[in-house]
Amino acid sequence: MILPSLIFLIIFNYIPMGGIVMSFQDFKPWLGIRGSEWIGLENYRYLFDRRDSMQVIWNTLLIAGLKIIFNLLVPFTFAIFLNEIRNQLYKRFIQTMVYLPHFLSWVILGGILIDILSTDGGIVNRFLGLFGIGPIFFLGNGDWFRVTVVVTDVWKEFGFSTIVFLAALANINPTLYEAAEVDGASRFKQTIYITIPAMMPIAIVVGTLALGNILNAGFDQIFNLYNPLVYEKGDIIDTFVYRVGIINGEFGFGTAIGLFKSVISMILICLSYYIAYRWANYRIF
Amino acid sequence: MYHKTWSYRVFSVFNNIAMFIIAVTCVLPLVHVLAVSLSAKSAADANLVTFWPIEFTLESYKKTINNPLFLNSLGVSVLRTVAGTALTLLLAFLAAYPLSKENYVFRGRTIYAWIFVFTMIFNGGLVPFYMVVQTLGLIDSFWVLILPGAVNVWLTILLLNFFRGVPKELEEAALIDGAGHLRTLFVIYLPISLPAIATLAVFSMVFHWNSWFDGLLYIHSPKKYPLATYLQTVIVQRDLSSMSISPEELRLLSQKTVTSAQIFIGALPVLLVYPFLQKYFVKGLVLGSVKE
């Protein structure tokens, strides 16, 4: 029964892994893997010598790091406040609305964002104009681009990420709150001394697991939002691999960056899973 | 007690309002797009539309529906979503069953499990993957949209965890009555796991509907693009050069109202499907992410 899946995995996951030998070659498609010249670690030396590839690695770390921090803090806080809503119907309504962006693709959202963030009559700049804030070139200025990428990613995902925290909140033993109330603790005090500590283990697990993704700054999002104006500050490893490896046809070099990313990611993921396993007894199955 | 205090009531009112504002910001961009798509061209081009259509008209939807490239890609997307979801679910269902067994029942389970999980954490990267697809002759074929991603390890694990929760007695009874494993799977497990499978189906459908990169990478003739790829090239890249279209169509595509209509139609199936399955999310996701 496991065989069909296994065959697919071998063809589409394990055979490409063999392709990483290309990263040690001056790969020429017309010569193939057997015919291409071996150049050892030349591609990797090139990777660390090129100024733009170092910039790309830094961009990736910065953007992914900021996303990890805010994608943890915002849903955590939001879940606590959402939990204070007593009317269940209203709560469901809010939840339905905030889950929505998670299910839309970055193509759809990219199309929408390019329109509403434009300096030429986009609604966001029109709104800011009401407060006398001049038009901001969100997607054309490198620094603003980074801010925009982080903010829109948090906006897209915070609702859905809240689910895990809401489940944790539902598991808190209600007698703790009753005891605290008898002792005269206000709701604020209860939140500080009961709710937040109770949510910490899950926050740690979510945060630790997210660290494994520090080299994934979000290909879909960046690819659909960026343009040559912000390549310098907005380019990340994945978009760089696509542009250099596929579009420019530097196959060996593209594979080298890809492998560099995969190896570091794998180490980080294993490390983060191990920590999550030891600290919080987390297991995937 | 606490919710009777004066200060908590004040907080509650503010909290309810704040939550409402946050929730609204999650849907406003889409409302704006809808409003633009239903407005007259002149009003939209002059940036007068905010969240309510000006001079309501369905003109842009008529134009979109009459655009053969759009319709083609819509068809590709529907076909891909149906076929891809069916294949993914079948594979996940078949693989999750043996993987959910204990080690003494299914020898080598741990090894197989690792073969699956390893693909989640390590891959050869984009370039070698592209080469394999090319070698298999899948470039520019419809199958490239379905086959490479057919095994979804994440969904398989979710299903595996669900199977773990099924009472062992049910299965034992079936086995004693002489049913084989395959029969047990389809007669006992399939009916029980329908809610779980429905949830996985939604995730898989949303994934297929939203996928655009494979279309962009492996498919070269715009006539075979899935909808998401079509929208990506036309709306996000604004790259009309690769497409053989008449000046009339070009004029049509660049209109703001038509673009908005296309975006909205692209988002519509997702908008319709997900609210109905919300109740399952918590169960399925918590199962997959954090275990007590």
Side-chain angles (χ1 to χ4, degrees):
Chain A
M1 280 189 239
I2 209 165
L3 199 64
S5 293
L6 211 56
I7 293 170
F8 274 99
L9 283 183
I10 289 171
I11 295 176
F12 292 110
N13 291 93
Y14 285 96
I15 292 179
M17 286 180 202
I20 58 185
V21 296
M22 275 191 289
S23 71
F24 304 106
Q25 293 181 326
D26 181 19
F27 185 79
K28 300 273 191 292
W30 55 91
L31 294 174
I33 285 181
R34 278 188 217 147
S36 294
E37 191 193 342
W38 290 91
I39 51 168
L41 292 172
E42 196 54 42
N43 281 323
Y44 293 90
R45 193 168 312 142
Y46 189 45
L47 167 69
F48 290 103
D49 282 348
R50 260 173 90 144
R51 205 187 64 86
D52 56 354
S53 52
M54 294 322 283
Q55 176 71 34
V56 161
I57 292 170
W58 166 241
N59 291 345
T60 309
L61 290 173
L62 184 71
I63 293 174
L66 287 173
K67 280 185 180 177
I68 288 174
I69 295 170
F70 288 104
N71 275 327
L72 185 63
L73 287 181
V74 175
F76 185 91
T77 318
F78 184 75
I80 291 176
F81 282 100
L82 187 65
N83 200 42
E84 294 300 321
I85 291 183
R86 297 283 141 223
N87 183 333
Q88 288 307 309
L89 208 65
Y90 184 56
K91 194 171 160 185
R92 276 214 88 73
F93 164 76
I94 302 278
Q95 280 179 285
T96 310
M97 306 257 275
V98 296
Y99 291 165
L100 173 69
H102 170 82
F103 289 92
L104 297 173
S105 75
W106 276 115
V107 172
I108 301 285
L109 292 179
I112 297 177
L113 289 172
I114 288 171
D115 175 47
I116 66 174
L117 294 177
S118 87
T119 42
D120 167 35
I123 47 170
V124 173
N125 273 316
R126 270 193 277 159
F127 179 72
L128 292 176
L130 296 178
F131 301 97
I133 300 168
I136 297 173
F137 201 4
F138 289 104
L139 298 173
N141 170 306
D143 295 318
W144 275 111
F145 181 78
R146 287 175 177 168
V147 174
T148 310
V149 162
V150 174
V151 171
T152 54
D153 188 63
V154 171
W155 168 77
K156 183 179 192 285
E157 300 300 339
F158 83 92
F160 204 67
S161 316
T162 304
I163 291 181
V164 175
F165 295 115
L166 285 178
L169 283 169
N171 279 338
I172 299 175
N173 190 344
T175 53
L176 288 174
Y177 291 112
E178 284 161 21
E181 250 178 80
V182 172
D183 289 346
S186 68
R187 189 60 178 164
F188 178 72
K189 285 242 160 107
Q190 292 175 23
T191 304
I192 299 286
Y193 294 109
I194 300 173
T195 313
I196 291 179
M199 281 166 79
M200 276 331 261
I202 279 154
I204 290 170
V205 169
V206 174
T208 325
L209 296 181
L211 278 181
N213 277 321
I214 190 89
L215 291 183
N216 286 323
F219 175 83
D220 275 23
Q221 181 194 20
I222 307 264
F223 192 81
N224 282 309
L225 289 178
Y226 82 166
N227 53 66
L229 286 176
V230 292
Y231 276 173
E232 192 185 332
K233 291 195 171 171
D235 216 1
I236 56 168
I237 298 176
D238 292 324
T239 51
F240 190 64
V241 170
Y242 175 74
R243 281 201 296 125
V244 173
I246 305 276
I247 303 288
N248 298 350
E250 296 178 49
F251 295 105
F253 181 59
T255 313
I257 320 169
L259 182 65
F260 169 76
K261 187 201 153 192
S262 287
V263 169
I264 308 263
S265 285
M266 184 179 74
I267 296 171
L268 289 172
I269 291 172
C270 292
L271 204 67
S272 61
Y273 271 76
Y274 182 72
I275 295 173
Y277 170 67
R278 290 307 295 262
W279 280 17
N281 203 21
Y282 169 88
R283 264 172 291 151
I284 40 174
F285 59 85
Chain B
M1 284 212 308
Y2 60 80
H3 33 261
K4 295 213 175 70
T5 66
W6 182 80
S7 61
Y8 186 78
R9 280 187 184 170
V10 172
F11 161 78
S12 219
V13 169
F14 277 105
N15 189 37
N16 279 351
I17 294 171
M19 287 289 134
F20 184 77
I21 293 172
I22 292 173
V24 164
T25 57
C26 287
V27 291
L28 268 191
L30 212 61
V31 174
H32 172 67
V33 168
L34 181 63
V36 171
S37 74
L38 292 171
S39 297
K41 181 180 167 353
S42 54
D45 287 347
N47 292 317
L48 295 172
V49 184
T50 46
F51 304 114
W52 197 255
I54 297 178
E55 296 173 56
F56 180 88
T57 165
L58 287 172
E59 199 55 34
S60 55
Y61 285 90
K62 274 187 206 142
K63 284 182 181 164
T64 306
I65 301 290
N66 285 326
N67 175 357
L69 272 178
F70 183 86
L71 280 188
N72 256 335
S73 57
L74 189 70
V76 172
S77 265
V78 170
L79 197 62
R80 167 211 183 137
T81 304
V82 173
T85 303
L87 183 64
T88 299
L89 289 184
L90 181 69
L91 289 173
F93 187 64
L94 287 175
Y97 178 72
L99 288 176
S100 70
K101 297 283 161 251
E102 300 296 331
N103 274 329
Y104 61 86
V105 181
F106 174 41
R107 277 161 192 277
R109 178 193 155 269
T110 319
I111 297 167
Y112 285 108
W114 270 105
I115 292 178
F116 275 71
V117 172
F118 187 66
T119 62
M120 286 175 95
I121 56 180
F122 185 78
N123 61 68
L126 185 63
V127 180
F129 190 77
Y130 183 87
M131 297 280 180
V132 169
V133 171
Q134 202 173 31
T135 315
L136 291 170
L138 287 174
I139 299 287
D140 223 18
S141 127
F142 172 73
W143 295 105
V144 78
L145 302 175
I146 294 177
L147 298 180
V151 176
N152 187 323
V153 178
W154 175 242
L155 295 186
T156 309
I157 291 176
L158 285 183
L159 201 57
L160 177 167
N161 277 324
F162 182 85
F163 282 171
R164 287 264 172 92
V166 175
K168 294 248 180 316
E169 291 76 10
L170 277 175
E171 190 197 339
E172 278 164 16
L175 289 174
I176 288 170
D177 285 347
H181 276 298
L182 204 61
R183 187 150 171 196
T184 314
L185 178 61
F186 281 95
V187 178
I188 306 285
Y189 278 81
L190 187 60
I192 298 180
S193 52
L194 279 181
I197 290 177
T199 316
L200 301 193
V202 173
F203 284 120
S204 188
M205 279 159 76
V206 170
F207 166 79
H208 273 292
W209 186 263
N210 284 340
S211 286
W212 55 277
F213 186 59
D214 43 9
L216 186 69
L217 198 55
Y218 308 121
I219 292 187
H220 300 316
S221 55
K223 281 201 174 101
K224 296 180 186 166
Y225 275 169
L227 187 62
T229 310
Y230 169 82
L231 293 178
Q232 210 274 335
T233 51
V234 175
I235 294 168
V236 179
Q237 293 184 18
R238 297 180 190 196
D239 172 24
L240 305 166
S241 57
S242 65
M243 308 193 151
S244 47
I245 46 177
S246 64
E248 164 61 18
E249 279 176 308
L250 187 73
R251 196 185 56 77
L252 195 148
L253 286 172
S254 57
Q255 280 177 22
K256 215 172 164 183
T257 52
V258 177
T259 309
S260 301
Q262 293 179 329
I263 292 180
F264 193 75
I265 295 177
L268 197 59
V270 174
L271 295 183
L272 293 178
V273 168
Y274 97 96
F276 296 101
L277 286 127
Q278 256 194 63
K279 56 180 168 179
Y280 297 120
F281 291 160
V282 175
K283 228 168 141 191
L285 275 179
V286 173
L287 196 67
S289 53
V290 180
K291 268 182 101 176
E292 301 281 326

